[in-house]
Amino acid sequence: MSTIRKLLAALLTVLSLALAMPAAAGGEPGKCTGGFVNPITDICWSCLFPISIGALDIWPSNRPDPDNPDLPVCLCGIRPGIAMGFWEPVRLADVSMKPWCFVNLGGTKLDPGFDIGFRSISGPSAIGGASQYYSSWHVHWYAYPLIYWMEIVADFLCLEPGSIDILYISEIDPLWQDSELTAIINPEAVLFANPLALAACAADCAASTARLPLDEMFWCAGCQGSMYPMNGNVSASIGHVQASRLVLSRFAYKLHRELVSWGTMGSAGLCGKYLMPVMRKQQYRFQMTNPNPATSGRYACPPIGASTTLQEPGQVIPAIGEDMGYLVWRKRNCCAL
């Protein structure tokens, strides 16, 4: 009996210590996983295409492409040029339920030691009820002008210059973890928080899966759900791929709303970037880089809102690959010399 009492006392001590620990240590949902992105083998190079001059595809592709300016020539001030359209890899993104998990940096956890960002630790549970579909995610946004720093195309003024750098960490953004604070940048969310507006997103789901999302339905993220709120709280989490793509879409929209990201597509983008507080979904493609790079196939770099049915198999490996990494492709129209 004395041995049993000692075991029970030890168990109670362990439980007491666990309950006394802060949320940052007690709620951590597992090991950070990921891998470095190989700029040669992990990139879907066919996602560069189509390349167009005016409305003519000089390098066609079976991937959907938004409308390009009709005329092959353009004028920026007094400088004439050729109206080119192409897709450019410009950003990397980590999407993880584990705070400070840098998926595309080899699955490295760079926790600064402060109790910051841990409020939103949670994943889909099996407790039943509506709460089992809830998940929370963090995003890290990297500058990744791949074509420029690899010097694949030299002296092309249309390319975004720069080097690899970390641009945004959602753990230090209070708006990213609180849906009430997020209303500061998306007050119009109350207009679309109703069954009719959400049901209308079925049309955007079909359009984005068949070809391109409907920019007119800016409150929809296609088959993934609603763009609101613009944070990492997902109330309808079906799977890691679906939820992570929804969060990444919201994050991109959030950057546009905060005037951090600008428009680069269409006639308005020929002479430079322009303000786009309401993001055009057709401007982006998301390619999976972690846990398994999607480097070929029709849905290697699908547009925002496309169905994830054909992308989910093999992309979630328990305890090994539950953190998501993406390469962000951006449509660029440019008046080239």
Side-chain angles (χ1 to χ4, degrees), residues 8-26:
L8 290 174
L11 180 60
L12 289 174
T13 302
V14 171
L15 289 174
S16 300
L17 290 173
L19 292 173
M21 292 175 72

Side-chain angles (χ1 to χ4, degrees), residues 31-315:
K31 180 182 177 182
C32 176
T33 60
F36 288 98
V37 179
N38 187 313
I40 304 298
T41 60
D42 293 347
I43 306 300
C44 176
W45 290 108
S46 63
C47 295
L48 282 166
F49 311 113
I51 297 177
S52 61
I53 293 180
L56 176 66
D57 289 342
I58 61 172
W59 199 315
S61 170
N62 64 348
R63 303 186 187 282
D65 190 44
D67 294 334
N68 295 287
D70 295 328
L71 297 177
V73 294
C74 51
L75 188 67
C76 292
I78 60 173
R79 177 181 67 83
I82 300 174
M84 294 197 64
F86 62 98
W87 289 86
E88 181 185 12
V90 290
R91 299 289 183 265
L92 271 180
D94 302 326
V95 188
S96 175
M97 290 185 289
K98 304 159 190 172
W100 306 102
C101 177
F102 290 80
V103 184
N104 289 309
L105 294 183
T108 304
K109 190 156 190 177
L110 302 177
D111 187 353
F114 303 107
D115 189 14
I116 299 176
F118 289 91
R119 178 181 179 277
S120 62
I121 293 181
S122 65
S125 65
I127 60 176
S131 60
Q132 67 178 320
Y133 300 112
Y134 176 85
S135 62
S136 293
W137 302 75
H138 277 298
V139 177
H140 307 136
W141 193 253
Y142 307 77
Y144 199 74
L146 181 62
I147 299 178
Y148 177 83
W149 62 260
M150 288 189 68
E151 298 183 355
I152 296 175
V153 180
D155 299 327
F156 188 32
L157 296 179
C158 292
L159 296 178
E160 178 173 318
S163 58
I164 301 177
D165 198 3
I166 299 176
L167 300 179
Y168 206 111
I169 300 175
S170 66
E171 284 86 346
I172 61 176
D173 182 358
L175 272 65
W176 186 252
Q177 303 175 58
D178 193 315
S179 295
E180 293 182 359
L181 288 178
T182 306
I184 296 174
I185 60 172
N186 59 231
E188 75 278 12
V190 297
L191 300 176
F192 304 102
N194 60 79
L196 185 61
L198 294 176
C201 291
D204 188 44
C205 172
S208 57
T209 302
R211 188 174 180 271
L212 290 169
L214 302 175
D215 285 334
E216 298 80 6
M217 303 181 70
F218 57 88
W219 67 92
C220 298
C223 302
Q224 277 76 67
S226 173
M227 281 288 190
Y228 300 114
M230 295 180 192
N231 58 32
N233 301 325
V234 180
S235 59
S237 181
I238 300 173
H240 280 60
V241 177
Q242 171 266 336
S244 63
R245 286 183 62 86
L246 173 58
V247 169
L248 184 55
S249 301
R250 289 178 174 180
F251 186 83
Y253 195 172
K254 170 184 167 69
L255 294 184
H256 277 269
R257 180 56 57 88
E258 295 175 338
L259 306 183
V260 177
S261 293
W262 290 25
T264 60
M265 65 178 291
S267 300
L270 286 174
C271 298
K273 299 178 182 178
Y274 59 96
L275 291 176
M276 186 189 282
V278 178
M279 182 185 71
R280 292 191 61 184
K281 295 175 287 186
Q282 295 183 6
Q283 183 168 283
Y284 294 103
R285 294 172 175 172
F286 297 151
Q287 178 207 334
M288 181 81 74
T289 57
N290 271 292
N292 295 312
T295 58
S296 62
R298 171 67 170 78
Y299 291 102
C301 51
I304 289 177
S307 173
T308 59
T309 301
L310 299 178
Q311 304 164 39
E312 291 176 348
Q315 290 292 0

